[in-house]
Amino acid sequence: MTVTDLHKSFGGLKVLRGLTFAIPDGEMRVLLGPNGCGKSTFLKTLIGLYRPSGGEIRLAGERIDGMHPHEIARRGVSTKLQVPSIFKELTVDQNLRIAVQRTTGADATARAALIDETKDLIGLADKSDLKAGTLSHGHQQWLEIGMAIASRPKLLLLDEPTAGMTPEETQQTVRIVTRLNKERGMSVVIVEHDMGFVAELAAQILVLYQGTIFFEGSLKEVRSNESVRDIYFGSRA
Ligand code: ADP
Ligand code: MG
């Protein structure tokens, strides 16, 4: 994916002011930045929920900015946003079935296989018949990841997936995401605040600040960069 001079304004509020960066296929990036700096706005612009005010987004060379969300989804971009989207009254299997039906034309046998494989990937194979609403908060988040990957996207976007998770659930989320990236070759962009989680992911980091990519590098480089410390870690550094 390449993003070139991407802009997004809401009225007079200029949130994205010329984002430029590239993510090679199959790689993972963590998107960091202070609250309200536009991380979710970027993800929503990427998936077509927001129309960019300017600039380009390309996937495999093809421009996708300005396309409808379903057209972008069809090209292999899938997302788990901050707002929950599972059906709490339905079981794990039923939720996954909806996601699979929504996104693939596969026949019944292939769909069942896809559901089983997805449950395995998200570690919920033994929870098939439980209602989603009875799962722990962390397991509900994994189910959401499961729904996002039901279509086997090329690019998976996760907006603060470990918010509210226990340390064990966070650890397991690292394993899930790493497996999707390394074994399945999915490109992944994760917006995340939990620095422990970010450290475990061992991915390159993009720091978003004042509407542009302010810094790009490893966690070590990010941590040792004084201006990044000032803007992002602030008093915690
Ligand atoms: P982050 O995810 O980095 O915390 P957001 O992308 O949610 O930040 O928000 C960035 C800025 O854009 C905030 O000032 C927010 O109020 C504003 N914003 C986000 N979405 C909208 C919208 N739909 N309409 C108007 N302003 C918005
Ligand atoms: Mg956000």
Side-chain angles (χ1 to χ4, degrees):
M1 179 190 59
T2 60
V3 175
T4 311
D5 198 27
L6 186 68
H7 289 253
K8 177 63 192 171
S9 303
F10 299 104
L13 180 67
K14 296 179 178 169
V15 178
L16 305 180
R17 291 190 266 173
L19 285 197
T20 299
F21 64 95
I23 303 180
D25 285 351
E27 292 206 5
M28 173 149 51
R29 292 289 184 276
V30 175
L31 187 58
L32 284 183
N35 234 340
C37 74
K39 302 180 296 296
S40 297
T41 298
F42 166 66
L43 294 188
K44 288 176 187 168
T45 307
L46 182 51
I47 62 170
L49 281 184
Y50 296 157
R51 183 176 280 274
S53 315
E56 282 187 15
I57 305 172
R58 287 180 188 266
L59 198 67
E62 182 189 22
R63 270 187 85 161
I64 59 165
D65 51 276
M67 281 186 183
H68 285 288
H70 68 268
E71 291 178 306
I72 294 174
R74 211 171 47 223
R75 281 164 177 78
V77 181
S78 188
T79 183
K80 174 193 157 346
L81 293 175
Q82 280 175 290
V83 189
S85 64
I86 54 171
F87 302 99
K88 297 205 171 197
E89 290 306 311
L90 302 182
T91 66
V92 167
D93 263 4
Q94 288 166 335
N95 269 283
L96 290 173
R97 197 169 304 138
I98 288 170
V100 166
Q101 272 166 352
R102 203 158 46 196
T103 52
T104 74
D107 63 32
T109 318
R111 281 206 300 261
L114 208 48
I115 290 171
D116 282 345
E117 198 191 54
T118 304
K119 274 187 296 190
D120 181 52
L121 282 167
I122 58 175
L124 294 181
D126 58 345
K127 306 271 190 293
S128 307
D129 300 321
L130 294 182
K131 282 193 178 176
T134 67
L135 299 175
S136 73
H137 170 77
H139 290 182
Q140 291 188 23
Q141 301 286 304
W142 297 346
L143 179 56
E144 293 219 21
I145 294 176
M147 294 182 77
I149 62 166
S151 59
R152 298 296 181 266
K154 293 195 204 99
L155 172 61
L156 175 66
L157 313 171
L158 301 170
D159 203 345
E160 305 196 10
T162 69
M165 281 191 182
T166 66
E168 292 74 27
E169 288 169 341
T170 300
Q171 279 288 326
Q172 185 59 23
T173 305
V174 170
R175 283 191 279 274
I176 292 170
V177 173
T178 303
R179 201 172 159 198
L180 293 173
N181 176 241
K182 295 275 184 277
E183 285 180 23
R184 298 291 163 145
M186 279 181 206
S187 305
V188 182
V189 178
I190 306 186
V191 171
E192 187 56 58
H193 281 296
D194 182 333
M195 292 311 286
F197 179 74
V198 172
E200 298 270 342
L201 283 172
Q204 289 283 105
I205 292 170
L206 300 162
V207 180
L208 182 59
Y209 184 60
Q210 294 189 337
T212 64
I213 297 298
F214 181 78
F215 192 84
E216 184 170 1
S218 67
L219 180 62
K220 199 170 163 222
E221 289 164 338
V222 166
R223 281 199 156 131
S224 58
N225 183 290
E226 226 166 89
S227 8
V228 176
R229 274 216 309 262
D230 285 349
I231 61 152
Y232 186 68
F233 300 103
S235 55
R236 280 185 291 159

